[in-house]
DNA sequence: CGGGCTATTGAGACAGCTCAAAGCTAGTGG
DNA sequence: CCACTAGCTTTGAGCTGTCTCAATAGCCCG
């Protein structure tokens, strides 16, 4: 689908809670500073550590923000979709990208220079406040992941990751909720902080139990409630044997 | 040390980069909305999950922000000191505290109601922008921890935690850099995502190697460079060609 | 000088990782 | 339309870093 610059901007802006509360005149001012771009699947919008030359407002498609460790292991920090801002947030701090952004599918996005972006913030206080709220949400979600990583085991982390994804990118289909992005086992591992092998085994097991339906780069959540139970109530070791012997 | 309300406010405000760029008149407006409070060591400023009734600007002392999992395990999300804002950031999102704030020592802080705080943001655009930059920094640091937790092993995470603490709360003393807060092994474990036993063993080992000097609730970094090496260059399995050959 | 944290140390268990080897699946090009 | 191939997934078999548990020792304050 090809859109004119105007249409693209409008559609992106309309979806973005970031621009809520701004007047029409403000929106026109904003739109003038954004430039349309296109990225193919697997293409990088920018690379970790590079000096920031542009931020992006997503119009179509999804990107993942990843960080790579010295030995090549990757972690997915965020999945971002239409209406979301890519690269801007953590960059306000020191001007280098803290992660790389990779297109998960074909992506249309609107770019803006850091300088223009900062100017917009100064000119439109509403925008700064909206962005602050947005950042607050991100912070909250990253905090949760941080806690999960240190206190919960792989299986439950995966269940939580799937729940989160369902809320974020889930699409209702007849069998249940489809995670509407091409997610390999590897990607799920990088989101939940485990290995692709553990993900594969666990998904298979849940499919056997009727909780999910899995396929190549595809997960459908059949039993949302069961998944929530796995995410929240799953006891640490085995589940059944209650209490050894109270034996009065 | 007891300070008048005015003096307390001024000292806190002066330290806070949050208020950089604000005029004298603005500062007076701000100061009027804050109310002084005091908390003893181990006292909670607020509890996870509760509806936010106040945010705090730290004046003296330190607090830790923690999240607790169902089975009681804790994670320390942040350590916050003078000039920093406690509770406000992630709260802008949904109005409940995402973690609990506990005083590490005696704490003086200035409280402000969420409504007043939001009003300030509307009235003083500079403040929103400053806060945005501050949030960006937090986000960046949490992202790094997230990556470390999933890709690095306990020993290195601990080294990084110590480095980070040195930068944040380190105080030069004759033996090296003292971490200027009462940090138990347990607390270090909760900061680095490991167990207090692993922390104890590892610190002891590093003390043997002359990198640190450890005591009860006390760590002094003797060899900063060695610690940085441990944090960055430590290969996965064993590291040094220390292996004493049984015989040549 | 006792009581209560805090820290150390050893021994054992295990979740989840690593590695290796097929098995699938979806494109692609002849 | 069918082989071919590349990438994704599954499955099995160890291995080990780290946690758990238990017991002891040390330090500080009342």
């Amino acid at each position: 689908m090809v859109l004119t610059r105007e249409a693209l901007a409008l559609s992106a802006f309309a979806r973005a809670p970031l621009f809520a509360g701004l007047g029409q005149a403000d929106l026109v001012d904003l739109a003038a500073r954004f430039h349309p771009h296109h990225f193919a699947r697997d293409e990088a919008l920018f690379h970790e550590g590079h000096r920031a030359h542009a931020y992006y407002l997503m119009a179509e498609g999804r990107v993942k923000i990843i960080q790579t460790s010295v030995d090549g292991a990757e972690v997915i920090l965020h999945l971002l979709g239409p209406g979301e801002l890519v690269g801007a947030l953590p960059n306000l701090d020191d001007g280098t990208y803290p992660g790389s952004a990779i297109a998960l599918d074909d992506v249309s996005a609107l770019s803006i220079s850091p300088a223009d972006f900062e100017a917009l913030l100064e000119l439109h206080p509403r925008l700064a406040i909206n962005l602050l709220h947005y950042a607050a949400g991100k912070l909250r979600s990253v905090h949760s992941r941080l806690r999960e990583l240190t206190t919960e085991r792989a299986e439950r982390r995966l269940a939580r990751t799937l729940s989160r994804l369902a809320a974020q990118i889930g699409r209702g289909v007849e069998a249940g909720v489809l995670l509407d992005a091409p997610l390999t086992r590897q990607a799920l591992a990088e989101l939940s902080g485990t290995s692709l092998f553990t993900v594969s085994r666990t998904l298979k097991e849940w499919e056997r139990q009727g909780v999910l339906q899995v396929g190549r780069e595809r997960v459908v959540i059949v039993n949302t409630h069961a998944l929530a139970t796995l995410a929240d109530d799953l006891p640490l070791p085995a589940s059944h044997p209650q209490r050894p012997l109270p034996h009065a």
Side-chain angles (χ1 to χ4, degrees), chain A:
Chain A
M1 168 172 23
V2 174
L3 297 176
T4 66
R5 174 170 167 187
E6 286 302 307
L8 206 60
L10 281 184
S11 105
F13 285 16
R15 297 209 215 199
L18 234 42
F19 301 119
L22 289 173
Q24 190 65 31
D26 289 337
L27 288 178
V28 170
D29 177 23
L30 261 63
R33 317 223 191 191
F34 282 93
H35 306 284
H37 286 269
H38 187 270
F39 300 90
R41 178 173 177 170
D42 291 334
E43 203 178 337
L45 279 70
F46 50 76
H47 294 278
E48 182 175 350
H50 287 193
R51 179 138 287 276
H53 52 80
Y55 305 149
Y56 297 91
L57 178 67
M58 294 289 293
E60 289 180 65
R62 302 186 189 291
V63 302
K64 60 177 179 182
I65 309 293
I66 61 175
Q67 263 192 21
T68 310
S69 70
V70 281
D71 54 334
E74 285 182 4
V75 180
I76 298 182
L77 297 177
H78 296 292
L79 291 184
L80 300 173
E84 295 197 271
L85 214 43
V86 183
L89 259 193
N91 249 316
L92 291 174
D93 190 33
D94 83 345
T96 63
Y97 297 115
S100 304
I102 312 288
L104 286 180
D105 33 36
D106 282 4
V107 162
S108 294
L110 296 161
S111 76
I112 184 171
S113 75
D116 270 6
F117 188 74
E118 298 253 7
L120 284 184
L121 288 182
E122 305 267 356
L123 254 54
H124 306 283
R126 184 79 251 152
L127 182 58
I129 292 179
N130 287 349
L131 195 52
L132 207 45
H133 283 256
Y134 178 70
K138 288 292 180 201
L139 210 45
R140 182 180 284 267
S141 103
V142 173
H143 282 165
S144 298
R145 277 179 72 186
L146 206 59
R147 185 188 55 72
E148 290 163 21
L149 274 172
T150 69
T151 65
E152 283 161 10
R153 47 192 50 193
E155 193 179 345
R156 197 192 284 202
R157 294 202 306 269
L158 180 57
R160 277 198 207 281
T161 299
L162 293 178
S163 297
R164 199 170 281 143
L165 286 173
Q168 197 187 348
I169 62 171
R171 203 183 66 199
V173 296
E174 80 285 11
V177 180
L178 167 70
L179 301 187
D180 195 16
L183 294 170
T184 64
R185 302 290 179 268
Q186 176 68 36
L188 288 172
E190 290 167 7
L191 277 167
S192 54
T194 179
S195 72
L196 76 137
F197 306 100
T198 297
V199 170
S200 176
R201 278 183 244 269
T202 308
L203 291 188
K204 231 26 213 295
E205 173 59 24
W206 287 342
E207 183 169 55
R208 245 168 252 129
Q209 299 174 10
V211 180
L212 305 176
Q213 217 176 276
V214 302
R216 188 190 174 84
E217 298 189 348
R218 185 187 156 84
V219 176
V220 178
I221 299 168
V222 175
N223 187 338
T224 310
H225 180 65
L227 186 65
T229 303
L230 288 166
D232 291 328
D233 304 337
L234 206 78
L236 287 187
S239 49
H240 280 194
Q242 309 280 15
R243 193 135 329 199
L245 287 182
H247 236 327

